[in-house]
Amino acid sequence: MIFNKTIDKLSIIENKTVYILAVTLVTLVAALTYPFCCYGETCSNHLCRIINSRPIFGIVLPSSPTSIGFYLSKLKLIHSYNVGRMTFYYGKLYHISVVISVPPPIGDFSYVSIDTYLLEKLFDPKFIVDPGTAGSHVSFLSMGDVLIGARIVNYTNYMTSRRGRIQPGEFSSLVTDDEGYTLGNPNPVYLYSDPDLVNLAYTAALQVAKYTPAHILHSIAGRRPWIVKYGTQGSGTIWFRDPTQIKQNSSIFHEDDEAGDFPIALIPTENKIPFVEIHTISDSALNVPTKIGKYFHLCSVFAQNRSNKIVVRMIKMVAHGYRIVSTFAGGLEDPYSNNIRNKLIPPKYIYKWTMENGIKR
C-alpha cells in the first residue's frame, strides 16, 4: 500500500511537471511568434512558425495595392499581422529578412506615426526605408528624377509674424543656430538620414534609374534621370501647387521636394534606428502644372514603381555582400557637413535638357 501511494504521488508530480513545461513552452512560442502571426487556415490560435531572425529592413509604403503587390510577389515565407487598420507583412527577399507596413493613408501624420511606431516596436528592424513619391520644389527637378532624403524638414512646422512672415519652428525661441538643432531642443528643424543608407540608396538608384521616357517628362524627349544624393526632403500636411508659395517656403526651409512622411524620420530618430527616405518625383508645379488626372496618376505609378525597384536593389546588394557599417542613429545632428546645400545645382545635362525641352515656369 505504501509503495503504491508513493508511485501515485510520483505520477502526480511528474504530470504536474509535464503540464508546467508544456504551458511554459506554449507561452514561450506564443510570445515569440505573436507579432508575426498570420490569419488563415495555416494559423491556429495566433500561433505560426517561429521566425528567429530580426528583420534587417523595415519598409513603410504608401497605401497602394500596386506597391504592396509588387513586394508580396517577391517575398518568401510571408506572414501577415493586423493591428486595427495597420497591416504588416514579414518575409524574406534575397534571403534578407524584411517587414513591410502599409499605413492608411500615407499623408496623414497620425496614421503614419502610429504605423511606424508599431513596426519598430513589434518587429525591431535594423533599418527603416521609406520608398515613395514627391512633388518637386526645384524647377530643374522633374518627373522620374530621384531624391535621396539626406535630411528631412517638416515645412508645416512654423509660426508667422503679424505681417505673415514665416518663421521656422513653432517654438523658434529655442532655436539658436541655422540648422535649428540645440542640445535638448525638443523641436529641431531638420532630421538626418543615416549616411551609410544614403550611400546604399544612391548606388542602387544609379543602377536602377537609367532613363525616363518622354511621356513621363511631358516632353518631346526623354533623358537620364537626375539622382540627387544629398537632398532635403520637405514633409508636411500641405500640398503646395502655387509657384509663389513654393518659392517662399523653399527660401526658408530649403526643401527640394515635398511629401507627407515626416513621421517616418521622426519615429526612428526617437528610437535611434537608422533610416533613409527615397522619393521619385511624380509632379512638379514649377515645371509641368499639376493637374489631378490621368497624366498625374500615370506619373505617380511610374514614380512609386521606380522607388520600389531601388529598395529591392538595395536589399539585393546587401544580400550579395554590401556592408552597412552604421553607427549613426538618432537623426538630430548633421553628419554631412557641407554636402547638403541650401540650393540644388543641376548637372549640365539636366540644365541643357530643361532649357531645350522643359516648360520651366
Side-chain angles (χ1 to χ4, degrees):
M1 291 290 292
I2 295 175
F3 179 79
N4 289 337
K5 287 181 180 180
T6 303
I7 292 296
D8 290 339
K9 286 181 181 181
L10 289 174
S11 298
I12 292 171
I13 293 172
E14 183 179 350
N15 290 337
K16 283 184 177 180
T17 303
V18 171
Y19 174 78
I20 292 170
L21 288 173
V23 169
T24 302
L25 180 60
V26 170
T27 303
L28 179 61
V29 171
L32 289 173
T33 61
Y34 180 70
F36 308 104
C37 290
C38 54
Y39 295 90
E41 296 179 358
T42 60
C43 185
S44 175
N45 297 323
H46 299 300
L47 293 178
C48 298
R49 60 185 300 177
I50 297 175
I51 300 176
N52 294 315
S53 58
R54 173 189 181 190
I56 294 178
F57 286 96
I59 304 171
V60 183
L61 286 177
S63 184
S64 166
T66 304
S67 287
I68 191 60
F70 173 83
Y71 286 96
L72 294 184
S73 67
K74 298 177 179 298
L75 284 177
K76 306 297 182 184
L77 302 174
I78 298 174
H79 297 256
S80 64
Y81 177 60
N82 295 322
V83 181
R85 294 183 63 189
M86 314 299 177
T87 303
F88 302 92
Y89 300 91
Y90 180 95
K92 301 233 176 182
L93 185 58
Y94 299 110
H95 305 293
I96 298 293
S97 300
V98 175
V99 59
I100 302 173
S101 69
V102 188
I106 193 69
D108 187 283
F109 272 22
S110 298
Y111 274 132
V112 179
S113 298
I114 295 169
D115 178 90
T116 307
Y117 178 82
L118 287 172
L119 183 146
E120 292 179 7
K121 288 304 179 182
L122 290 176
F123 297 90
D124 191 27
K126 294 180 181 178
F127 311 112
I128 293 292
V129 181
D130 164 34
T133 65
S136 171
H137 282 189
V138 179
S139 57
F140 291 97
L141 194 64
S142 297
M143 284 69 71
D145 293 341
V146 179
L147 185 136
I148 313 298
R151 70 177 181 181
I152 293 86
V153 59
N154 179 1
Y155 63 67
T156 57
N157 179 21
Y158 61 82
M159 61 185 294
T160 62
S161 67
R162 295 182 67 178
R163 295 186 177 184
R165 183 179 179 276
I166 295 176
Q167 296 175 331
E170 292 177 58
F171 309 102
S172 58
S173 61
L174 294 173
V175 176
T176 60
D177 61 14
D178 293 337
E179 289 296 302
Y181 172 77
T182 305
L183 188 63
N185 183 0
N187 190 26
V189 174
Y190 295 106
L191 300 175
Y192 296 89
S193 296
D194 177 79
D196 281 356
L197 290 176
V198 166
N199 288 331
L200 175 60
Y202 180 72
T203 304
L206 289 176
Q207 296 177 13
V208 168
K210 298 287 189 180
Y211 182 79
T212 303
H215 70 278
I216 295 296
L217 286 162
H218 201 272
S219 173
I220 60 173
R223 64 164 169 78
R224 178 163 51 98
W226 182 9
I227 312 296
V228 180
K229 183 175 184 179
Y230 300 110
T232 299
Q233 174 66 63
S235 185
T237 53
I238 295 174
W239 185 355
F240 287 114
R241 296 171 67 183
D242 179 69
T244 302
Q245 287 182 317
I246 291 174
K247 290 175 181 177
Q248 180 187 11
N249 220 68
S250 298
S251 67
I252 296 169
F253 292 103
H254 311 297
E255 78 274 10
D256 304 314
D257 66 6
E258 63 171 279
D261 301 351
F262 190 75
I264 303 176
L266 179 61
I267 304 301
T269 294
E270 290 298 311
N271 290 330
K272 300 187 182 302
I273 298 177
F275 68 89
V276 66
E277 296 192 2
I278 304 156
H279 288 155
T280 301
I281 301 301
S282 59
D283 65 280
S284 174
L286 295 178
N287 196 314
V288 180
T290 304
K291 296 180 180 179
I292 310 301
K294 289 183 179 180
Y295 172 70
F296 172 80
H297 292 292
L298 174 69
C299 288
S300 296
V301 171
F302 178 89
Q304 184 62 49
N305 189 46
R306 174 162 283 178
S307 294
N308 290 338
K309 288 180 178 179
I310 292 170
V311 172
V312 170
R313 181 58 62 92
M314 290 170 64
I315 296 171
K316 184 176 182 180
M317 289 171 64
V318 171
H320 285 78
Y322 187 103
R323 293 189 63 192
I324 304 175
V325 188
S326 180
T327 57
F328 181 81
L332 291 174
E333 297 185 69
D334 182 3
Y336 299 103
S337 61
N338 295 322
N339 285 328
I340 303 178
R341 301 174 181 177
N342 288 341
K343 187 175 181 180
L344 286 187
I345 299 176
K348 289 182 179 179
Y349 76 93
I350 294 291
Y351 182 87
K352 180 180 178 182
W353 182 92
T354 305
M355 292 296 100
E356 293 176 353
N357 303 287
I359 295 175
K360 191 178 181 297
R361 292 167 50 180

